[in-house]
Amino acid sequence: MVPIDDSNPAYIRDMNKCILCGRCVRACHEVTGIDAIEMAFRGNNATISTFGDKPVLLSRCETCGECVNRCPTGALVYRSNRQPTREVKTTCPYCAVGCQAYLGVRGNEIVRVRPTRRAHPTRGICA
Ligand code: SF4
Ligand code: SF4
């Protein structure tokens, strides 16, 4: 059994449930360009790891959630399973690019964020 990495406040990594499909690695590399995780080790020891096999909170991870959205097993799961009751389209204020996103709202709280698929410049990416 590999210890569960619950260092990140937004999601939990349980590599015991990983099937090594590589979707999270591709998302982190090809979609976000952050490269916080990678395939590591060989044979029965093969796993998805951060640089130096550190807890994900100490890695380059920016907690964008792209890997969690793509994981087909329970290896990567959000801490909160609260579902939004409505969505509000908005523009991310983080930088000057102007990515579009939908905020999932429950009551007066934002519980989810997902990218828009068609609007420029996002085109399905929320990095
Ligand atoms: S949350 Fe984002 S930055 Fe962090 S490992 Fe997943 S895809 Fe990479
Ligand atoms: S997406 Fe999930 S199952 Fe696939 S390699 Fe990543 S952690 Fe493992």
Side-chain angles (χ1 to χ4, degrees), residues 51-110:
F51 182 72
D53 207 17
K54 293 177 183 163
V56 75
L57 192 64
L58 302 178
S59 74
R60 297 174 58 176
C61 174
E62 295 186 5
T63 314
C64 66
E66 288 290 346
C67 58
V68 183
N69 291 341
R70 284 163 177 79
C71 182
T73 70
L76 303 173
V77 291
Y78 289 113
R79 284 182 182 275
S80 168
N81 59 6
R82 287 189 303 163
Q83 298 298 317
T85 52
R86 63 194 168 94
E87 286 191 317
V88 180
K89 192 175 181 183
T90 188
T91 304
C92 174
Y94 184 63
C95 70
V97 172
C99 296
Q100 302 284 295
Y102 287 105
L103 301 181
V105 179
R106 187 177 188 96
N108 290 324
E109 250 184 296
I110 298 169

Side-chain angles (χ1 to χ4, degrees), residues 15 17-25 39 48 67 70-73 75-76:
M15 289 301 106
K17 297 175 180 170
C18 176
I19 58 172
L20 293 174
C21 66
R23 293 179 61 156
C24 56
V25 174
M39 289 273 187
I48 308 298
C67 58
R70 284 163 177 79
C71 182
T73 70
L76 303 173

